[in-house]
Amino acid sequence: MANFLDPAILFFIFGAFAGSVKSNLEIPQPIARFLSLYLLMALGLKGGFALHKSGFTLEIVLALSLAVFLAILIPLMGYQILRTKLNSYDAAAVAATYGSVSAVTFITATQALDQYGIGFGGHMAAAMALMESPAIILAIFLANKARVSSTGLPQSVGISKIFHESFTDGAQLLLLGSMVVGIVSGDEGQKLMAPFSIDLFKGMLAFFLLDMGLMAAKNFGGLKNKPPITIFYAICAPLIHASIALGLCKVIGLQLGDTVLLMVLAASASYIAVPAVLRHALPEVNPGLYMGMSLGITFPFNIILGIPLYVYIARLTY
């Protein structure tokens, strides 16, 4: 219940309502972009400050390795399931969307853990960054393979270009760069940046989630006349992916907070990084398909119901 009374979540619900009734309320795109960059910078700083205190341990290495493994496993599983009902291009695009991660879902989850009093490692921000790209690269590989099979010609998108776009994306670089700044500046840097990275964080998140609610309402229409598996997958895939992450975290013995965040990352779907690449790499796919699924269904599900559910299940298991 506490999750529903959180001001940031209430602003998201309000934004979704405003969008559904076709209100002219909108957040100017430059402001929305600034809010996104601010949240990533603040998250990176928090992670860097925490890593400065903890250092790199075996548990951190295991958590990061598991994050990369999940980022490879989930899109491969998704593609095999989706291509039974969708064409190869659509299946690859949706698999990439759900194999990558949502930074805002992750940030919202860190706030929820703070409210629940559950600790987590600063390295989890690095885990999120590592999970951005593998699914995109796999999707391009699968799409290239489909093109060769259908035409007999190697009409492929250059994988080197995709690597460059994936690993030099501005948002991802800002996250990692901020983490490095946090590690280097340490406790003194944390004191200096606290008014910026801590005191303002909750309000900025609420403002950004208002915009995300508006976008979610607008993108839901992208699923009109799509196969039923799209809606089924958008709801069930997060639950399955989170369960897989929970099982693997238990096997390697991660702490509760890190487990919840890996569950959230596994359950989330990208609506920024992946669509930006897929528009050029997979022009055969209508963006309304993967945007409607990720932003119209999965994002609201995770923000409103998923995060408290994952916390509850992880607590029961631990």
Side-chain angles (χ1 to χ4, degrees):
M1 186 65 185
N3 193 59
F4 291 102
L5 299 179
D6 184 287
I9 304 302
L10 290 174
F11 269 108
F12 174 81
I13 295 172
F14 169 65
F17 168 76
S20 65
V21 298
K22 295 179 169 54
S23 167
N24 64 354
L25 174 64
E26 65 175 351
I27 308 299
Q29 190 57 38
I31 294 178
R33 177 64 174 166
F34 164 76
L35 291 171
S36 173
L37 293 176
Y38 164 81
L39 292 172
L40 288 170
M41 183 176 178
L43 179 65
L45 283 171
K46 287 182 180 181
F49 295 143
L51 278 173
H52 176 82
K53 293 178 181 178
S54 67
F56 285 91
T57 64
L58 176 60
E59 183 175 2
I60 290 176
V61 173
L62 288 173
L64 297 180
S65 299
L66 179 54
V68 174
F69 177 73
L70 286 168
I72 296 171
L73 175 66
I74 288 172
L76 289 176
M77 285 176 47
Y79 180 74
Q80 295 302 321
I81 294 170
L82 290 163
R83 72 172 184 169
T84 62
K85 299 294 183 180
L86 303 176
N87 65 56
S88 296
Y89 300 120
D90 287 352
V94 174
T97 301
Y98 281 80
S100 191
V101 295
S102 161
V104 179
T105 306
F106 176 82
I107 291 168
T108 307
T110 63
Q111 288 293 291
L113 289 180
D114 285 341
Q115 287 185 331
Y116 289 127
I118 299 174
F120 57 90
H123 61 278
M124 294 308 297
M128 182 189 75
L130 289 172
M131 292 179 75
E132 280 270 12
S133 302
I136 300 174
I137 295 165
L138 282 170
I140 304 308
F141 171 78
L142 293 170
N144 287 345
K145 185 177 178 182
R147 288 191 186 98
V148 172
S149 298
S150 61
T151 65
L153 299 173
Q155 301 172 346
S156 61
V157 177
I159 199 70
S160 61
K161 182 180 179 182
I162 299 302
F163 267 108
H164 182 268
E165 289 184 5
S166 298
F167 292 110
T168 61
D169 175 71
Q172 185 159 308
L173 274 182
L174 176 62
L175 175 68
L176 294 174
S178 300
M179 189 177 301
V180 172
V181 170
I183 293 172
V184 173
S185 59
D187 294 339
E188 194 61 35
Q190 185 173 15
K191 292 176 185 176
L192 292 171
M193 295 299 291
F196 174 80
S197 62
I198 298 176
D199 298 345
L200 293 176
F201 191 85
K202 188 70 174 181
M204 292 288 201
L205 176 61
F207 200 16
F208 188 67
L209 285 178
L210 169 64
D211 183 50
M212 295 310 304
L214 291 166
M215 289 182 62
K218 293 175 183 176
N219 278 275
F220 184 74
L223 293 178
K224 187 177 181 181
N225 300 323
K226 298 297 182 183
I229 191 175
T230 55
I231 296 177
F232 177 80
Y233 191 85
I235 296 173
C236 294
L239 298 173
I240 295 170
H241 298 163
S243 299
I244 294 171
L246 174 60
L248 292 174
C249 287
K250 283 290 291 180
V251 169
I252 66 175
L254 292 189
Q255 62 168 302
L256 176 60
D258 291 359
T259 296
V260 171
L261 290 180
L262 271 178
M263 290 173 70
V264 169
L265 286 170
S268 68
S270 174
Y271 52 83
I272 297 176
V274 171
V277 176
L278 292 185
R279 284 177 186 272
H280 304 291
L282 280 173
E284 299 91 344
V285 182
N286 179 2
L289 173 64
Y290 46 83
M291 288 293 286
M293 292 175 66
S294 64
L295 192 50
I297 298 180
T298 301
F299 181 73
F301 173 80
N302 277 329
I303 290 292
I304 298 172
L305 298 174
I307 292 172
L309 178 62
Y310 306 144
V311 173
Y312 176 75
I313 294 173
R315 275 177 157 171
L316 281 181
T317 306
Y318 274 69

